[in-house]
């Protein structure tokens, strides 16, 4: 049977492989402790490649939730799998789960220098809602944080 891409909820058993992926490819470099806290408190979904009984982590997405709103706190796709629509598919799968749970809106914040992520979010229908000037420190300068929102309501 050929390898297949699949999606599932993360558990604490996924902490080590998530921390390795974040260290290798994350934009904001979350610590292992921060990922553990996310696994304990937030909704974390994985994109995996299954081959028979083996599975390999390709990416993850972390969402916090309050009432009917979610915030995408982090998304990472393994560099070896980037550009193959896995980020888009992981987010679409996550949005479907969030929507089924009654979440209506998803917010996110992204550095203005993160072109690939901004292109991904705009392609998925996120709209620019605001800007925090100089929010992120990058070496010796500061860059703006862009705030995006997407309506997750399912069409009738
Ligand atoms: C951002 C990220 C998650 C995208 O994942 P991905 O699986 O490569 O994205 P997809 O293949 O689904 O791409 C979807 C769209 O995003 C845009 N995109 C993705 N990578 C891009 C790149 N390197 N340059 C420009 N646009 C890009 C394109 O519009 C693409 O659509 P297209 O294939 O029709 O051109 C991935 O680059 C990543 O993990 N980056 C490091 C971590 C990060 O920055 N996370 C965001 C924190 S806010």
């Amino acid at each position: 049977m050929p390898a297949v891409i699949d999606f599932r909820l993360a558990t604490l058993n996924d902490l080590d492989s998530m921390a390795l992926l974040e260290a290798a490819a994350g934009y904001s470099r979350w610590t292992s402790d921060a990922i553990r806290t996310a696994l304990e408190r937030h909704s974390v979904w994985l994109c995996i490649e299954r081959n028979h009984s083996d599975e390999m982590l390709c990416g993850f997405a972390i969402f916090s939730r309050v009432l009917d709103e979610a915030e995408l706190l982090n998304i990472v796709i393994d560099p070896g799998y980037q550009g193959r629509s896995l980020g888009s598919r992981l987010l679409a799968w996550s949005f479907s789960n969030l929507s089924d749970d009654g979440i209506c809106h998803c917010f996110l914040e992204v550095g203005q220098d993160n072109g690939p992520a901004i292109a991904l979010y705009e392609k998925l229908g996120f709209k620019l809602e605001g800007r925090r000037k100089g929010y992120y420190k990058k070496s010796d300068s500061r860059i703006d944080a862009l705030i995006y929102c997407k309506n997750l309501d399912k069409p009738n």
Side-chain angles (χ1 to χ4, degrees):
M1 194 177 74
V4 291
I5 296 295
D6 203 358
F7 304 93
R8 69 166 172 82
L9 255 182
T11 71
L12 275 173
N13 292 332
D14 298 303
L15 174 61
D16 290 347
S17 48
M18 288 177 64
L20 279 175
L21 178 52
E22 171 69 17
Y27 173 79
S28 41
R29 302 292 158 105
W30 285 31
T31 62
S32 185
D33 280 350
I35 295 172
R36 174 188 292 279
T37 303
L39 286 165
E40 289 167 347
R41 295 188 189 163
H42 301 314
S43 298
V44 184
W45 285 293
L46 306 182
C47 175
I48 53 176
E49 186 174 67
R50 275 192 213 286
N51 201 341
H52 299 285
S53 56
D54 293 336
E55 63 169 47
M56 206 183 91
L57 181 66
C58 304
F60 61 83
I62 299 174
F63 294 85
S64 65
R65 299 152 61 139
V66 178
L67 301 175
D68 66 348
E69 288 182 3
E71 182 177 2
L72 175 61
L73 300 178
N74 198 2
I75 176 169
V76 184
I77 297 294
D78 184 303
Y81 289 83
Q82 287 179 13
R84 291 164 53 179
S85 299
L86 297 193
S88 309
R89 289 175 62 192
L90 175 60
L91 287 181
W93 195 83
S94 303
F95 295 153
S96 173
N97 280 282
L98 290 167
S99 177
D100 286 349
D101 275 358
I103 302 289
C104 299
H105 310 283
C106 181
F107 290 87
L108 64 83
E109 199 179 84
V110 58
Q112 67 175 28
D113 65 340
N114 195 344
I118 291 169
L120 166 67
Y121 302 144
E122 291 187 346
K123 185 173 180 190
L124 293 181
F126 278 87
K127 303 289 180 216
L128 185 63
E129 296 273 324
R131 174 185 297 265
R132 294 196 169 108
K133 291 217 67 87
Y135 190 73
Y136 295 115
K137 188 164 181 351
K138 283 274 164 153
S139 49
D140 54 356
S141 65
R142 303 200 73 91
I143 61 163
D144 295 352
L146 307 181
I147 299 162
Y148 279 86
C149 181
K150 176 179 165 67
N151 191 335
L152 301 187
D153 285 347
K154 285 200 163 156
N156 294 319

